[in-house]
Amino acid sequence: MTLSELKDAVAELGMPLFTGAQIAKWLYQQHVRTIGEMTNISKSNRQKLEEYFTIGALSPLDSQVSLDGTIKYLFPTKGGKMVETVYIPEKSRFDEQSSGSHDRATLCVSCQVGCKMNCLFCQTGKQGWEGNLTVADILNQVYSLPERDRLTNIVFMGQGEPMDNLDAVLRATEILTADYGYGWSPRRITVSSVGVKGKLKRFLDESECHVAISMHSPIHEQRLQLMPAERQMTIKEVVSLLKQYDFTHQRRCSFEYICFAGLNDTMMHAREIVKLLEGLECRVNLIRFHEIPEVSLPGSDEKKMESLRDYLTAHGVFTTIRASRGQDILAACGLLSTAKKGEMI
């Protein structure tokens, strides 16, 4: 609940409005697990709250730890489904004598069970769509994370298409960034999308969080083969929309680009990317392809990816090669799926 909703809820129960602010602090700053822990609220009011409400925090059902320190958690949802969430710690680039305050820890959260977009290269898409997560389901991935207090960044790059569950994603990011909530800067949050007509514009208008677009090919026909969503909103339409917004200051725009050998990693593709992104302040993240069953796409080798990176950067498109994390536990990009985990509930 937002602060205004908490105030409305307590008012209906005959409590003073300031009780709503007290509850928000207990929830989003103290992260209590029970209403009984809200000790500055009278016992009688706590009992009344317990009659109508629960905290809703649900602990992970399972976890897997990668050799590189990445942890994949399996969270239950209110609807009896499950989603995967990935915690990615990164060591500081500073010396080991430092306080460690520069360490980075990113949480990759899910917004749907499965996904409707059915991108050819993504295991989540093979699962199909099993439902939207509620705001509570989304926030619980942060609320109940054992490493919650170490987080520096959140990316909506787990299971699902954020624009396909936009109301819940916007509400979740509001609570994450509000003074009464987690108090995060929106610059610590990145929301990804394949590009959904109408929804992407609404997100750009209503949120200040970073945006990351799944490109994977700058060419319409080829992107359509990889990503059926290209039919509904082309990559040219996505970029044209993005050019209407200011990304020259703190808000960032980036493009995700999985590299497939001989398919989208040629110099022709590099030139088309430069042409497509001309005039847009952005960056491109090149991603290694992680093989999934029954998909015969070949991944690009390191030399080819470096060549693509160097060409794009030399032509004004800042480009990096993203380090793969958690591949051994199927936590890397495009590998999340809960299709075969129903027996755990």
Side-chain angles (χ1 to χ4, degrees):
M1 287 184 172
T2 63
L3 178 59
S4 62
E5 289 169 333
L6 288 169
K7 288 181 176 179
D8 288 344
V10 298
E12 286 185 20
L13 295 178
M15 300 178 194
L17 290 181
F18 68 77
T19 306
Q22 291 175 315
I23 294 172
K25 186 171 183 178
W26 283 113
L27 289 174
Y28 303 129
Q29 296 175 30
Q30 302 300 321
H31 299 98
V32 296
R33 306 287 293 191
T34 66
I35 291 171
E37 296 174 68
M38 301 179 180
T39 51
N40 63 349
I41 298 173
S42 70
K43 187 175 180 179
S44 60
N45 279 345
R46 275 181 276 158
Q47 289 174 338
K48 194 179 294 185
L49 287 169
E50 286 172 343
E51 290 180 36
Y52 296 96
F53 300 101
T54 60
I55 299 296
L58 300 171
S59 298
L61 296 171
D62 190 28
S63 64
Q64 292 175 273
V65 183
S66 168
L67 293 172
D68 63 25
T70 298
I71 306 174
K72 182 170 71 172
Y73 287 101
L74 184 68
F75 277 101
T77 72
K78 292 292 185 183
K81 303 286 187 178
M82 289 170 293
V83 290
E84 293 184 321
T85 306
V86 183
Y87 172 74
I88 310 166
E90 296 178 55
K91 292 293 184 183
S92 170
R93 290 183 300 229
F94 298 87
D95 62 57
E96 294 181 0
Q97 305 299 318
S98 70
S99 65
S101 60
H102 298 286
D103 288 353
R104 181 183 174 98
T106 300
L107 188 67
C108 182
V109 302
S110 295
C111 63
Q112 294 180 311
V113 182
C115 185
K116 295 178 186 176
M117 300 300 116
N118 197 26
C119 297
L120 179 61
F121 46 81
C122 180
Q123 188 65 42
T124 309
K126 306 305 176 199
Q127 178 176 343
W129 182 74
E130 297 184 31
N132 285 332
L133 297 191
T134 65
V135 181
D137 289 330
I138 294 172
L139 289 177
N140 184 61
Q141 296 168 69
V142 181
Y143 200 96
S144 297
L145 184 78
E147 298 82 7
R148 179 192 61 231
D149 295 336
R150 301 181 201 168
L151 291 178
T152 60
N153 299 83
I154 289 175
V155 294
F156 282 75
M157 296 182 181
Q159 291 175 260
E161 163 57 52
M163 301 304 136
D164 196 39
N165 189 16
L166 185 56
D167 287 339
V169 169
L170 286 173
R171 174 94 71 101
T173 56
E174 176 191 337
I175 291 170
L176 286 167
T177 57
D179 290 340
Y180 68 80
Y182 286 73
W184 279 40
S185 164
R187 309 311 182 209
R188 294 169 64 183
I189 302 171
T190 301
V191 179
S192 70
S193 178
V194 300
V196 177
K197 192 167 288 187
K199 299 292 185 68
L200 180 58
K201 183 180 190 308
R202 188 180 152 208
F203 168 77
L204 292 167
D205 288 339
E206 297 182 23
S207 172
E208 296 181 9
C209 297
H210 298 314
V211 61
I213 300 297
S214 296
M215 180 192 295
H216 311 306
S217 176
I219 300 166
H220 169 70
E221 294 79 12
Q222 188 176 62
R223 189 172 187 258
L224 183 58
Q225 291 178 337
L226 294 170
M227 306 169 66
E230 170 76 3
R231 182 175 289 107
Q232 196 256 352
M233 188 176 191
T234 68
I235 190 62
K236 286 186 177 180
E237 289 176 308
V238 170
V239 172
S240 178
L241 174 63
L242 290 168
K243 286 180 179 179
Q244 299 173 30
Y245 296 83
D246 183 5
F247 295 104
T248 60
H249 298 292
Q250 289 185 317
R251 192 180 194 187
R252 191 168 65 236
C253 170
S254 60
F255 291 87
E256 311 298 298
Y257 198 93
I258 297 176
C259 295
F260 304 107
L263 185 68
N264 69 348
D265 64 351
T266 70
M267 281 300 103
M268 181 272 287
H269 288 90
R271 289 190 290 272
E272 289 298 318
I273 292 171
V274 171
K275 188 188 304 182
L276 177 68
L277 301 182
E278 184 180 3
L280 177 63
E281 184 72 25
C282 63
R283 64 178 63 189
V284 171
N285 296 314
L286 302 180
I287 303 170
R288 295 167 183 83
F289 175 56
H290 305 109
E291 292 185 12
I292 62 173
E294 300 176 17
V295 173
S296 58
L297 292 169
S300 301
D301 61 32
E302 198 71 18
K303 187 175 180 181
K304 197 71 175 178
M305 292 180 70
E306 289 174 356
S307 177
L308 189 58
R309 176 198 63 193
D310 294 345
Y311 180 92
L312 292 174
T313 299
H315 288 78
V317 180
F318 178 67
T319 303
T320 61
I321 297 175
R322 180 183 293 169
S324 289
R325 299 292 302 274
Q327 189 170 356
D328 57 318
I329 57 169
L330 302 181
C333 184
L335 297 182
L336 299 185
S337 176
T338 51
K340 297 181 179 179
K341 296 180 180 176
E343 69 273 8
M344 294 192 64
I345 288 191

